[in-house]
Amino acid sequence: MHRRNFLKTTAVSFPLISRPSLFSSATLKPIIVSTWDSGLPVNREAWKILGNKGRSLDAVEAGARYMEDQLGCCVGLAGYPDRDGIVTLDACIMDENANCGAVAALERIKHPVSVARKIMEETPHILLAGKGAQEFALNNGFPLEPEVLSQDAKKAYEEWKIQQHYNPEINIERKQNNGPFAPYFFNDGTANHDTMGILALDTQNNLSGAVTTSGMAFKIHGRVGDSPLIGAGLFVDNEVGAATSSGVGEEVIRIAGTHLVVEYMRQGYSPEQSCKKAVERIIRRNKEKAKLLQVGFLAINRKGEYGAYSIQKGFTFSVKSEKEEKIHPSKFFYHAV
Ligand code: SD4
């Protein structure tokens, strides 16, 4: 081949810039990683599919559904309500072919992640919100659940109304004592919220992810965070890797956080380095504000390598593969608020 033509054709598929090789060593698969300690039983549930050579998409959905069935502050209908006392759920799902679906501000439906999957598989759309999302769910056989708060949620909501001098005004969050995102922190500065983000790599080398949450506790009715937004709360690119986030969704949306993490992995950074660079992007934009809030990113690449990084101490993630079943503390930028 003429040298000029050779250079022309090779330049298309092999960039001349040298990069760390992402895809050279053996792949650890199947593997599943999930946000927080609560990811451990989620991984176990998903492993029933993943460990049997099942599809990563089915595994992440099963994991998310498991979490949506639990009683807890932060996922599913037992989660904490918004400031009007209504539980609204956000979820999304994405597969190896960039198919994705999402629901936002969904009320009285038990498994938002499965509604998200239905939207992905049976409509030309990606995201349905509010009443329309609920109508879609009902039309597709999801039952309407009763409008009741779980015992824990009711108690937390009653306490919150007293402590926060409940007053339904715009921007009430900014008047709270400990900064704009006070509902997110325990006294030691760790986040009090655990949205479930799940990423899996299956035996067919396919990556998928899912996220499910009741969102920021005591939020303004209708507020939607990062969790159901593709590129913010979840992003999957089968050529490179996948990422998910937890924490103050507004800050993740501002930097298109998980898309950014995946793009760093594309440049050759490890999952942990990529998460760190995204966290640093948030901090660089507003150092003072970042001291008061928590965001954590979790990522996995095509080799099955994983890593996480958060603004504050306290973010954890859970891993399951044939080699390990473990909760890992995330590395972090600040020690405490
Ligand atoms: C949100 N990112 O609604 C979610 C909340 C969360 O751990 O992740 N909490 O902003």
Side-chain angles (χ1 to χ4, degrees):
M1 194 190 287
H2 192 276
R3 186 173 174 273
R4 222 151 107 252
N5 283 340
F6 174 78
L7 282 176
K8 249 196 221 160
T9 39
T10 50
V12 175
S13 38
F14 304 108
L16 296 176
I17 324 151
S18 79
R19 294 178 179 171
S21 151
L22 246 184
F23 310 122
S24 53
S25 70
T27 302
L28 175 59
K29 62 185 180 186
I31 182 167
I32 182 155
V33 296
S34 304
T35 50
W36 304 107
D37 303 21
S38 48
L40 208 62
V42 166
N43 291 351
R44 225 168 264 168
E45 191 63 24
W47 193 258
K48 291 178 190 165
I49 294 167
L50 210 56
N52 280 315
K53 299 196 167 54
R55 196 178 166 200
S56 57
L57 186 72
D58 296 327
V60 295
E61 184 189 7
R65 285 177 68 94
Y66 170 86
M67 198 64 195
E68 288 166 353
D69 277 332
Q70 305 306 307
L71 293 176
C73 65
C74 317
V75 176
L77 289 174
Y80 289 178
D82 62 24
R83 69 183 192 184
D84 294 346
I86 302 164
V87 177
T88 64
L89 304 178
D90 299 336
C92 70
I93 192 160
M94 188 166 189
D95 76 6
E96 72 276 8
N97 294 314
N99 296 312
C100 43
V103 283
L106 178 63
E107 293 175 33
R108 298 178 61 187
I109 301 290
K110 197 170 190 179
H111 289 300
V113 73
S114 296
V115 183
R117 183 163 177 179
K118 251 301 181 262
I119 293 166
M120 164 176 125
E121 290 179 339
E122 294 187 15
T123 80
H125 307 302
I126 291 175
L127 171 63
L128 295 183
K131 263 226 136 338
Q134 191 190 61
E135 270 166 30
F136 174 84
L138 297 178
N139 290 339
N140 281 279
F142 292 85
L144 188 65
E145 304 293 335
E147 199 173 6
V148 284
L149 293 183
S150 67
Q151 262 184 1
D152 269 11
K154 195 165 187 299
K155 186 164 171 273
Y157 181 53
E158 294 305 325
E159 279 167 10
W160 176 79
K161 278 200 287 189
I162 299 162
Q163 281 172 13
Q164 306 298 334
H165 308 294
Y166 182 64
N167 180 12
E169 293 173 32
I170 303 284
N171 286 339
I172 188 174
E173 287 74 11
R174 300 197 179 280
K175 293 182 184 167
Q176 289 164 0
N177 298 338
N178 304 319
F181 299 104
Y184 269 99
F185 294 104
F186 290 130
N187 290 338
D188 67 356
T190 57
N192 71 355
H193 204 272
D194 22 343
T195 288
M196 183 47 56
I198 312 166
L199 310 170
L201 175 65
D202 64 27
T203 49
Q204 305 300 305
N205 286 317
N206 287 327
L207 284 159
S208 300
V211 179
T212 183
T213 189
S214 52
M216 185 187 267
F218 319 126
K219 60 198 173 188
I220 295 175
H221 184 63
R223 177 265 186 191
V224 173
D226 57 328
S227 304
L229 304 183
I230 301 299
L234 176 70
F235 198 67
V236 177
D237 184 328
N238 218 44
E239 285 181 357
V240 178
T244 187
S245 60
S246 190
V248 179
E250 282 73 3
E251 302 312 307
V252 177
I253 295 169
R254 247 184 262 289
I255 64 157
T258 55
H259 183 263
L260 185 62
V261 171
V262 170
E263 289 309 302
Y264 280 130
M265 288 197 282
R266 194 189 306 281
Q267 289 172 24
Y269 292 101
S270 73
E272 183 185 300
Q273 286 167 341
S274 302
C275 292
K276 181 169 188 237
K277 288 181 80 66
V279 159
E280 285 169 350
R281 178 80 62 94
I282 294 174
I283 293 169
R284 208 164 53 238
R285 293 232 162 136
N286 193 334
K287 227 175 171 155
E288 288 316 303
K289 188 172 163 195
K291 282 183 186 162
L292 291 172
L293 59 89
Q294 174 68 310
V295 168
F297 291 106
L298 170 64
I300 184 169
N301 65 20
R302 268 182 66 76
K303 284 196 291 183
E305 294 169 336
Y306 56 80
Y309 208 85
S310 57
I311 299 179
Q312 315 283 344
K313 186 180 176 185
F315 182 48
T316 61
F317 61 100
S318 303
V319 179
K320 185 162 173 60
S321 69
E322 264 142 33
K323 276 204 341 220
E324 69 167 323
E325 181 170 28
K326 209 171 160 192
I327 296 169
H328 293 264
S330 164
K331 293 194 182 149
F332 53 90
F333 198 88
Y334 292 121
H335 267 265
V337 180

